[in-house]
Amino acid sequence: MTTANYDAMSLDELRRYVLSHREDIVAFQAYVDRSKAAGRMISIDLNDNHWEETLTEQIQQSTSVEGELE
């Protein structure tokens, strides 16, 4: 079995790899770690009474930033 070099992949390449190799848990964890480091992960606090509004704001910010990168 060939081992993929996750570090050599861009974050988008790693995402595509993970989607086509769903059984590769190490690749998934690498994707999650790198996504968090890049600020591309959105998280919610269910104890926050306004979590839905916060989530909507985070999604809007995320999509506006991604649109600027393209």
Side-chain angles (χ1 to χ4, degrees):
M1 181 174 177
T2 305
T3 303
N5 184 355
Y6 311 127
D7 293 332
M9 296 180 191
S10 70
L11 190 53
D12 289 332
E13 289 171 332
L14 184 54
R15 178 182 178 273
R16 286 191 296 272
Y17 177 86
V18 167
L19 289 173
S20 62
H21 297 87
R22 294 177 187 264
E23 73 288 347
D24 191 339
I25 303 302
V26 175
F28 175 75
Q29 190 60 53
Y31 175 72
V32 169
D33 291 344
R34 287 181 56 192
S35 293
K36 284 181 182 178
R40 289 177 64 172
M41 283 292 206
I42 296 175
S43 61
I44 59 172
D45 178 4
L46 295 178
N47 295 319
D48 177 7
N49 291 331
H50 304 286
W51 69 267
E52 291 178 77
E53 295 153 10
T54 303
L55 178 62
T56 301
E57 289 172 11
Q58 289 179 348
I59 291 171
Q60 289 172 345
Q61 289 173 355
S62 173
T63 55
S64 67
V65 169
E66 287 178 14
E68 292 171 8
L69 295 176
E70 295 176 356

